[in-house]
Amino acid sequence: MQKKFLVLGSNSFSGSNFINFLLKKNCKVIGVSRSNEYNKIYLPYLNSSSLKSFKFFKVNINKDIKKLKLIIKKFRPNYVVNYIAQGMVAESWSAPEDWYNTNVLAQVRLYKELFKFKFIKKFIHVTTPEVYGSCKGQIKENFNFNPSTPYAISRAATDIHLKKYFENFKSPVIFTRTANVYGPHQQLYRIVPKVLLSARLKKKINLHGGGISKRSFIFIDDVSAATYLISTKGKIGNTYHISTKKIISIKNLVKKISKMTKKNFYSLVNISKDRIGKDDYYNLNSNKIRKELNWRVKVDIDDGLKRTLKWIDNNFAQLKREKLNYIHKK
């Protein structure tokens, strides 16, 4: 039987790539986002040969839960994967009410209605390692939260809320927390495409705090494969970390890109003061998904950066006209 997925936040980088992955798996998919589908340069599924198995609906969960309920009743998905969130960290200080409205209040209202649909087998709640705050050593899957920004606080609040729904009502929710995702089709305000495109444009980026913070960077295809395994084989009530086993500083990441693009490192960066509340270190322990679901990372960072640069170069005429900065929408 053809699997049926509802993907919330389908215009997001991870959401649109996951839809593309699902269509390759011969799944039937509905995508929901608050904005209309936009430039296909950011929506890889629009080039899928299986696009006939996909349908898009514009729905803002802050305003129109009733419309979403009607869509769900008609489609009757087996799985719901929720990427919806106000997602920027530093910017969440400027209008925290927008982050709390979308990431907490709207999400609580959303799940209250979603949990009523008994034909849905699993709800995959895509959350963030930001909830842990800056850490030392490897982090295992837990709810020992120490969020340091309004964004992280908003995500932690909903995670705890949903955890209690599972504990008290056995609501079929699963949590995923993922290392820094990158790859072709990513919005240009994110660090990897921003540095790659800036190198081609001979522009500089601001390297906050000198780039000393450390992260794991994971290629989007590996994340989509992991999310599919979690959706179909993961255990309800569980949390799964999706991450590589390698950590790199932002500075060394930029140095990799400068070498790849044959640019001097200091011609690419301006050293600026660090962002307020920025976490210095994340290192997610991903042994659980590796052991339980036999998932493996297939794309290392050097190959992933090359693939992303190829996308930049193939679409340079268009991308060079795009804005490199995040524009906030309520």
Side-chain angles (χ1 to χ4, degrees), residues 122-134:
K122 292 174 186 172
F123 299 88
I124 312 305
H125 184 70
V126 179
T127 176
T128 173
E130 294 275 349
V131 297
Y132 297 125
S134 189

Side-chain angles (χ1 to χ4, degrees), residues 166-178:
F166 166 74
E167 291 175 354
N168 289 289
F169 306 108
K170 299 304 175 189
S171 301
V173 63
I174 299 175
F175 303 88
T176 68
R177 300 193 182 108
T178 307

